[in-house]
Short mmCIF file of all heavy atoms in Angstrom, two decimals:
data_model
loop_
_atom_site.label_atom_id
_atom_site.label_comp_id
_atom_site.label_asym_id
_atom_site.label_seq_id
_atom_site.Cartn_x
_atom_site.Cartn_y
_atom_site.Cartn_z
N LEU X 153 83.54 105.16 93.74
CA LEU X 153 83.30 106.49 93.43
C LEU X 153 82.28 106.96 94.47
O LEU X 153 81.31 106.51 94.68
CB LEU X 153 82.74 106.70 91.99
CG LEU X 153 83.71 106.39 90.89
CD1 LEU X 153 83.04 106.36 89.53
CD2 LEU X 153 84.82 107.39 90.87
N THR X 154 82.71 108.10 95.04
CA THR X 154 81.87 108.65 96.24
C THR X 154 80.95 109.71 95.78
O THR X 154 81.17 110.41 94.71
CB THR X 154 82.86 109.18 97.31
OG1 THR X 154 83.55 110.38 96.71
CG2 THR X 154 83.80 108.13 97.79
N GLY X 155 79.91 109.92 96.47
CA GLY X 155 79.01 111.12 96.26
C GLY X 155 79.78 112.31 96.70
O GLY X 155 79.93 113.34 95.93
N ASP X 156 80.52 112.33 97.73
CA ASP X 156 81.37 113.36 98.19
C ASP X 156 82.34 112.69 99.22
O ASP X 156 82.00 112.47 100.32
CB ASP X 156 80.58 114.49 98.84
CG ASP X 156 81.52 115.71 99.07
OD1 ASP X 156 82.66 115.53 99.34
OD2 ASP X 156 80.88 116.84 99.17
N TYR X 157 83.56 112.67 98.89
CA TYR X 157 84.50 111.97 99.73
C TYR X 157 84.61 112.69 101.03
O TYR X 157 85.08 112.06 102.16
CB TYR X 157 85.89 111.83 99.14
CG TYR X 157 86.75 112.97 99.19
CD1 TYR X 157 87.69 113.17 100.20
CD2 TYR X 157 86.79 113.96 98.15
CE1 TYR X 157 88.52 114.19 100.26
CE2 TYR X 157 87.60 115.03 98.31
CZ TYR X 157 88.49 115.18 99.23
OH TYR X 157 89.30 116.31 99.29
N MET X 158 84.33 113.92 101.17
CA MET X 158 84.47 114.67 102.39
C MET X 158 83.42 114.28 103.46
O MET X 158 83.51 114.57 104.62
CB MET X 158 84.46 116.18 102.18
CG MET X 158 85.51 116.70 101.33
SD MET X 158 87.20 116.52 102.06
CE MET X 158 87.09 117.45 103.53
N THR X 159 82.30 113.67 102.99
CA THR X 159 81.22 113.31 103.91
C THR X 159 81.07 111.69 103.95
O THR X 159 80.51 111.15 104.77
CB THR X 159 80.00 113.93 103.58
OG1 THR X 159 79.50 113.60 102.14
CG2 THR X 159 79.98 115.33 103.81
N SER X 160 81.49 111.06 102.89
CA SER X 160 81.35 109.55 102.73
C SER X 160 82.45 108.77 103.44
O SER X 160 82.20 107.55 103.57
CB SER X 160 81.29 109.21 101.25
OG SER X 160 80.19 109.81 100.59
N PHE X 161 83.58 109.27 103.62
CA PHE X 161 84.70 108.54 104.22
C PHE X 161 85.21 109.01 105.48
O PHE X 161 85.06 110.22 105.77
CB PHE X 161 85.79 108.35 103.11
CG PHE X 161 85.29 107.42 102.06
CD1 PHE X 161 84.74 107.99 100.86
CD2 PHE X 161 85.53 106.10 102.07
CE1 PHE X 161 84.20 107.13 99.83
CE2 PHE X 161 85.12 105.28 101.11
CZ PHE X 161 84.42 105.81 99.98
N ASN X 162 85.91 108.24 106.09
CA ASN X 162 86.54 108.69 107.45
C ASN X 162 87.70 109.64 107.24
O ASN X 162 88.17 109.91 106.18
CB ASN X 162 86.97 107.37 108.25
CG ASN X 162 88.11 106.66 107.61
OD1 ASN X 162 89.08 107.20 107.06
ND2 ASN X 162 87.99 105.23 107.68
N LYS X 163 88.10 110.06 108.48
CA LYS X 163 89.23 111.12 108.51
C LYS X 163 90.43 110.60 107.70
O LYS X 163 91.17 111.44 107.09
CB LYS X 163 89.55 111.51 109.93
CG LYS X 163 90.44 112.45 110.27
CD LYS X 163 90.51 112.68 111.66
CE LYS X 163 91.81 113.63 111.98
NZ LYS X 163 92.04 113.75 113.49
N GLY X 164 90.77 109.27 107.84
CA GLY X 164 92.04 108.80 107.19
C GLY X 164 91.89 108.88 105.73
O GLY X 164 92.83 109.34 105.12
N LYS X 165 90.78 108.46 105.21
CA LYS X 165 90.61 108.45 103.75
C LYS X 165 90.57 109.83 103.23
O LYS X 165 91.01 110.13 102.14
CB LYS X 165 89.46 107.52 103.30
CG LYS X 165 89.76 106.07 103.41
CD LYS X 165 90.87 105.60 102.40
CE LYS X 165 91.32 104.20 102.56
NZ LYS X 165 92.43 103.93 101.69
N GLN X 166 89.93 110.71 103.94
CA GLN X 166 89.91 112.06 103.46
C GLN X 166 91.22 112.74 103.35
O GLN X 166 91.54 113.38 102.45
CB GLN X 166 89.02 112.92 104.51
CG GLN X 166 87.52 112.48 104.45
CD GLN X 166 86.77 113.34 105.51
OE1 GLN X 166 87.10 114.45 105.86
NE2 GLN X 166 85.61 112.76 106.00
N GLN X 167 92.05 112.39 104.39
CA GLN X 167 93.38 112.94 104.34
C GLN X 167 94.20 112.34 103.19
O GLN X 167 94.97 113.01 102.55
CB GLN X 167 94.08 112.66 105.67
CG GLN X 167 95.56 113.23 105.76
CD GLN X 167 96.28 112.93 107.00
OE1 GLN X 167 96.28 111.78 107.43
NE2 GLN X 167 97.04 113.87 107.50
N GLU X 168 93.97 111.00 102.98
CA GLU X 168 94.67 110.34 101.86
C GLU X 168 94.39 111.15 100.56
O GLU X 168 95.32 111.35 99.76
CB GLU X 168 94.32 108.94 101.74
CG GLU X 168 95.02 108.21 100.56
CD GLU X 168 94.27 106.95 100.16
OE1 GLU X 168 93.93 106.18 100.87
OE2 GLU X 168 94.05 106.99 98.82
N VAL X 169 93.14 111.30 100.26
CA VAL X 169 92.70 111.95 99.02
C VAL X 169 93.36 113.37 98.93
O VAL X 169 93.88 113.78 97.92
CB VAL X 169 91.17 112.04 99.01
CG1 VAL X 169 90.64 112.95 97.68
CG2 VAL X 169 90.58 110.68 98.70
N GLN X 170 93.27 114.12 100.00
CA GLN X 170 93.93 115.39 100.03
C GLN X 170 95.35 115.47 99.84
O GLN X 170 95.89 116.47 99.21
CB GLN X 170 93.53 116.18 101.30
CG GLN X 170 92.06 116.42 101.41
CD GLN X 170 91.59 116.82 102.86
OE1 GLN X 170 92.37 116.69 103.79
NE2 GLN X 170 90.29 117.24 102.91
N MET X 171 95.99 114.40 100.20
CA MET X 171 97.54 114.34 99.98
C MET X 171 97.92 113.72 98.65
O MET X 171 99.15 113.81 98.34
CB MET X 171 98.20 113.55 101.16
CG MET X 171 97.99 114.14 102.46
SD MET X 171 98.85 113.15 103.74
CE MET X 171 100.66 113.43 103.30
N ARG X 172 96.99 113.24 97.85
CA ARG X 172 97.41 112.61 96.62
C ARG X 172 98.04 113.63 95.67
O ARG X 172 97.55 114.71 95.45
CB ARG X 172 96.08 112.17 95.95
CG ARG X 172 95.54 110.86 96.58
CD ARG X 172 94.33 110.38 95.83
NE ARG X 172 93.63 109.28 96.46
CZ ARG X 172 92.55 108.71 96.17
NH1 ARG X 172 91.85 109.23 95.11
NH2 ARG X 172 92.05 107.75 96.86
N TYR X 173 99.20 113.25 95.14
CA TYR X 173 99.97 114.05 94.17
C TYR X 173 99.29 113.74 92.83
O TYR X 173 99.08 112.63 92.36
CB TYR X 173 101.40 113.53 94.22
CG TYR X 173 102.16 114.26 93.22
CD1 TYR X 173 102.61 115.57 93.39
CD2 TYR X 173 102.71 113.59 91.99
CE1 TYR X 173 103.35 116.20 92.29
CE2 TYR X 173 103.49 114.24 91.08
CZ TYR X 173 103.79 115.52 91.26
OH TYR X 173 104.59 116.30 90.26
N GLN X 174 99.10 114.79 92.12
CA GLN X 174 98.44 114.71 90.70
C GLN X 174 99.64 114.59 89.74
O GLN X 174 100.41 115.41 89.61
CB GLN X 174 97.65 115.96 90.38
CG GLN X 174 96.35 115.89 91.27
CD GLN X 174 95.42 117.00 90.78
OE1 GLN X 174 95.73 118.02 90.32
NE2 GLN X 174 94.11 116.69 91.04
N HIS X 175 99.64 113.40 89.27
CA HIS X 175 100.79 113.00 88.32
C HIS X 175 100.92 113.78 87.01
O HIS X 175 101.94 113.80 86.41
CB HIS X 175 100.76 111.48 88.08
CG HIS X 175 100.85 110.71 89.25
ND1 HIS X 175 99.83 110.16 89.87
CD2 HIS X 175 101.92 110.36 90.11
CE1 HIS X 175 100.10 109.53 91.04
NE2 HIS X 175 101.45 109.63 91.16
N THR X 176 99.86 114.46 86.74
CA THR X 176 99.92 115.34 85.46
C THR X 176 100.91 116.54 85.69
O THR X 176 101.37 117.07 84.67
CB THR X 176 98.51 115.99 85.18
OG1 THR X 176 97.91 116.43 86.34
CG2 THR X 176 97.60 114.96 84.45
N LYS X 177 101.34 116.80 86.80
CA LYS X 177 102.32 117.80 87.12
C LYS X 177 103.65 117.41 86.48
O LYS X 177 104.45 118.31 86.27
CB LYS X 177 102.53 118.06 88.70
CG LYS X 177 101.17 118.73 89.23
CD LYS X 177 101.37 118.86 90.71
CE LYS X 177 100.10 119.41 91.31
NZ LYS X 177 100.13 119.39 92.75
N GLN X 178 103.85 116.20 86.31
CA GLN X 178 105.04 115.58 85.71
C GLN X 178 105.01 115.49 84.16
O GLN X 178 105.88 115.12 83.50
CB GLN X 178 105.43 114.21 86.28
CG GLN X 178 105.75 114.17 87.68
CD GLN X 178 107.14 114.67 88.02
OE1 GLN X 178 108.03 114.49 87.18
NE2 GLN X 178 107.30 115.14 89.24
N LEU X 179 103.86 115.85 83.59
CA LEU X 179 103.64 115.60 82.17
C LEU X 179 103.29 116.95 81.49
O LEU X 179 102.96 117.99 82.16
CB LEU X 179 102.37 114.68 81.92
CG LEU X 179 102.50 113.30 82.53
CD1 LEU X 179 101.12 112.58 82.28
CD2 LEU X 179 103.61 112.55 81.84
N ASN X 180 103.37 117.02 80.23
CA ASN X 180 103.06 118.17 79.41
C ASN X 180 101.61 117.94 78.85
O ASN X 180 101.56 117.56 77.67
CB ASN X 180 104.12 118.43 78.36
CG ASN X 180 103.82 119.76 77.61
OD1 ASN X 180 103.09 120.62 78.13
ND2 ASN X 180 104.51 119.90 76.47
N LEU X 181 100.61 118.20 79.57
CA LEU X 181 99.26 118.03 79.12
C LEU X 181 98.65 119.33 78.71
O LEU X 181 98.73 120.28 79.47
CB LEU X 181 98.35 117.37 80.11
CG LEU X 181 98.75 115.87 80.51
CD1 LEU X 181 97.75 115.41 81.49
CD2 LEU X 181 98.70 114.98 79.30
N CYS X 182 98.10 119.43 77.52
CA CYS X 182 97.41 120.65 77.14
C CYS X 182 95.89 120.39 77.20
O CYS X 182 95.47 119.31 77.43
CB CYS X 182 97.80 120.97 75.72
SG CYS X 182 97.28 119.77 74.58
N ASP X 183 95.15 121.42 76.96
CA ASP X 183 93.71 121.43 77.00
C ASP X 183 93.15 121.06 75.62
O ASP X 183 92.23 121.73 75.04
CB ASP X 183 93.09 122.71 77.51
CG ASP X 183 93.36 122.85 79.02
OD1 ASP X 183 93.48 121.85 79.70
OD2 ASP X 183 93.48 124.07 79.45
#
Side-chain angles (χ1 to χ4, degrees):
L153 287 174
T154 65
D156 188 335
Y157 81 92
M158 295 300 295
T159 57
S160 298
F161 288 92
N162 66 40
K163 184 178 170 184
K165 284 297 176 185
Q166 290 175 29
Q167 184 185 43
E168 178 206 310
V169 171
Q170 292 165 352
M171 290 182 73
R172 289 179 182 172
Y173 177 72
Q174 290 186 332
H175 300 100
T176 41
K177 294 175 183 173
Q178 297 278 336
L179 301 175
N180 184 16
L181 292 180
C182 63
D183 292 329

